[in-house]
């Protein structure tokens, strides 16, 4: 069980650190939008590339941040009854509804990979005046989906163990790993 816990903890730690790096894309978007406004005010004409680059960076940010959000229990839930359940009942409900998650993630990985492969095969570019490459953003879709899938698998295993009343390894207080700064 200790090895399983270490693997689950490693996946969560990876998603935590990767998500923190991805969050810097928001800073880049902010700088681009401020630069666009400043350049437009100074020169009197808009810059072609800043808006489109901001959209591409936001697309990558959205695609790559799912694993981090799941690791921090940040996805939206319908909490009308769920919050009143015991941890074990919540785990049972999550195990029963996990099939929907895995079907969706399987489709997202399959179709996202197909789309990314096709885009990369001819180095797809935007059809705008600036014409930047868009294949990296399309590649971010299956990469982010895989990160979310493996984090979802960690959550599923945690929920199964909690539902079965399996105690965490000795010295560990909970199956749910929380990154150190959020403990």
């Amino acid at each position: 069980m200790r090895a399983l816990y270490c693997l689950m903890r490693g996946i969560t730690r990876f998603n935590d650190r990767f998500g923190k790096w991805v969050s810097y894309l928001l800073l880049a978007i902010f700088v681009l939008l401020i630069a666009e406004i400043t350049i437009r005010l100074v020169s009197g004409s808009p810059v072609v590339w800043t808006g489109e680059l901001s959209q591409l960076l936001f697309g990558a940010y959205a695609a790559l941040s799912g694993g981090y959000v799941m690791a921090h229990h940040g996805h939206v839930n319908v909490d009308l009854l769920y919050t009143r359940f015991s941890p074990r009942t919540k785990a049972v409900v999550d195990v029963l509804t996990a099939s929907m998650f895995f079907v969706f993630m399987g489709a997202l990985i399959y179709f996202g990979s197909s789309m990314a492969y096709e885009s990369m095969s001819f180095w797809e570019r935007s059809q705008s005046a600036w014409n930047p490459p868009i294949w990296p953003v399309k590649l971010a879709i299956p990469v982010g989906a895989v990160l979310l899938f493996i984090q979802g698998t960690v959550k599923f295993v945690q929920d199964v163990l909690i539902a079965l009343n399996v105690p965490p390894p000795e010295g560990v207080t909970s199956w749910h790993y929380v990154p150190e700064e959020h403990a």
Side-chain angles (χ1 to χ4, degrees):
M1 277 300 166
R2 192 138 200 66
L4 176 63
Y5 178 77
C6 287
L7 175 64
M8 292 169 21
R9 182 178 174 185
I11 290 169
T12 302
R13 185 177 287 158
F14 176 81
N15 269 316
D16 181 58
R17 290 186 179 150
F18 186 77
K20 287 178 182 170
W21 279 102
V22 168
S23 71
Y24 288 114
L25 291 176
L26 288 178
L27 180 61
I29 293 167
F30 174 76
V31 168
L32 283 169
L33 294 176
I34 294 297
E36 160 68 21
I37 293 166
T38 305
I39 292 168
R40 191 171 2 118
L41 289 174
V42 171
S43 71
S45 62
V47 179
V48 174
W49 57 272
T50 55
E52 190 170 8
L53 182 56
S54 296
Q55 291 174 356
L56 292 172
L57 290 176
F58 185 74
Y61 167 78
L64 295 171
S65 62
Y68 176 87
V69 173
M70 181 167 278
H72 289 271
H73 311 287
H75 284 110
V76 176
N77 287 327
V78 179
D79 290 343
L80 296 173
L81 298 174
Y82 188 83
T83 54
R84 298 174 195 219
F85 293 159
S86 69
R88 185 169 184 222
T89 304
K90 286 179 184 178
V92 169
V93 169
D94 289 345
V95 166
L96 294 174
T97 59
S99 61
M100 291 182 280
F101 169 79
F102 288 114
V103 167
F104 175 75
M105 292 312 303
L108 186 59
I109 291 168
Y110 177 79
F111 291 111
S113 296
S114 174
M115 181 179 62
Y117 177 77
E118 182 181 331
S119 181
M120 289 173 55
S121 68
F122 61 91
W123 306 110
E124 184 177 11
R125 300 180 76 81
S126 164
Q127 298 302 312
S128 69
W130 178 45
N131 199 26
I134 59 173
W135 64 265
V137 177
K138 289 189 176 183
L139 180 61
I141 294 169
V143 170
V146 167
L147 292 174
L148 181 56
F149 178 84
I150 61 174
Q151 191 63 50
T153 303
V154 167
K155 183 177 181 338
F156 178 75
V157 170
Q158 289 170 341
D159 289 333
V160 167
L161 294 170
I162 291 168
L164 296 174
N165 276 332
V166 175
E170 188 174 320
V172 177
T173 58
S174 168
W175 277 111
H176 292 287
Y177 169 71
V178 179
E180 290 81 23
E181 63 274 0
H182 297 289

